[in-house]
Amino acid sequence: MANKIASADETDLFPPADERLHLQIFNEAGIMQQPSGHLSVPAGATENHPVCSAETPPQPEQPVKTSARVKKNKPHYSGHRQRLRERFNNHGDDVLADYELLELLLFRTIARADTKPLAKALLNRFGSFAGVLGAEPQLLREVAGCGEAVAQDIKLLNACARRSGKSEIMKKDVLDSWSKVIAYCMTSMAYENREQFRILFLDKKNRLIADEIQQIGTVDHTPVYPREVIKRALELSSTALILFHNHPSGDATPSRADIDMTKVIISIASPLNIAVHDHIIIGKAGHISMRGLGLI
């Protein structure tokens, strides 16, 4: 009997054969037997996360910092458009620099981009806000970032400014609105790259009845035909004229040819009781009146 009975220590080390079979099945299934005799899934094991070995304990999941990534990718000009609009709405255009006012215009055409570089490039190329508005479309398109749509919007704004100025002097005594007449012609002619000869035809009360460009010449010369000027005045029943032409060079000083041509027109108009009130020369920086210089 003594040979068949194992000691307690020996029993612990060598369990019966049927128990060893059960342990083998449990181990192959990944299930451990608890000391109490109950079966359980190993700690930390789930359907999607297998048990980690003792050498590599499970690590806690780190939260994904999405807000940091969004902030990193946020453009530097984010919110700039809204702030600029609010400044304009609350305080008007006087608080805005020229490039900022031009940016507001560009917002309408360029939906999602920083428009400040283009606004500054346009001002650098053409010298001033008025220069940008008066520039020819093909010259506008030469500036990087200024496409067909942008050039069209700029010229549309320039056309609106001319139309607004003209409405201020139509059917009014232009001699009583002289500053508005000058402002209108400056807007219309100062930045043209070829000489234009323009005539304002007035009635007996010096009200504007027609505004016409009679000739367009080259960069430094415009042919003017005095008899054609007077012929058109008679067709419109005009009794007074104001002559304008521009100097694309920017210098509004009248040339000898300008003075002689004006005197010829006056000599033809005077016997027909058609007055020539003045001949204004427009430059980029201002204007000169021949009557103010005592030349007529």
Side-chain angles (χ1 to χ4, degrees), residues 81-131:
R81 293 187 177 212
Q82 184 60 32
R83 291 191 296 271
L84 201 56
R85 289 188 180 105
E86 288 175 355
R87 287 175 59 200
F88 178 76
N89 291 336
N90 295 334
H91 305 290
D93 65 288
D94 288 340
V95 301
L96 301 180
D98 284 352
Y99 76 87
E100 292 176 316
L101 195 61
L102 191 54
E103 277 190 86
L104 282 173
L105 173 64
L106 296 175
F107 288 169
R108 303 179 61 82
T109 309
I110 303 174
R112 295 180 183 86
D114 185 4
T115 57
K116 185 185 295 184
L118 176 56
K120 289 186 173 182
L122 288 167
L123 289 169
N124 288 336
R125 170 68 185 275
F126 300 107
S128 67
F129 197 92

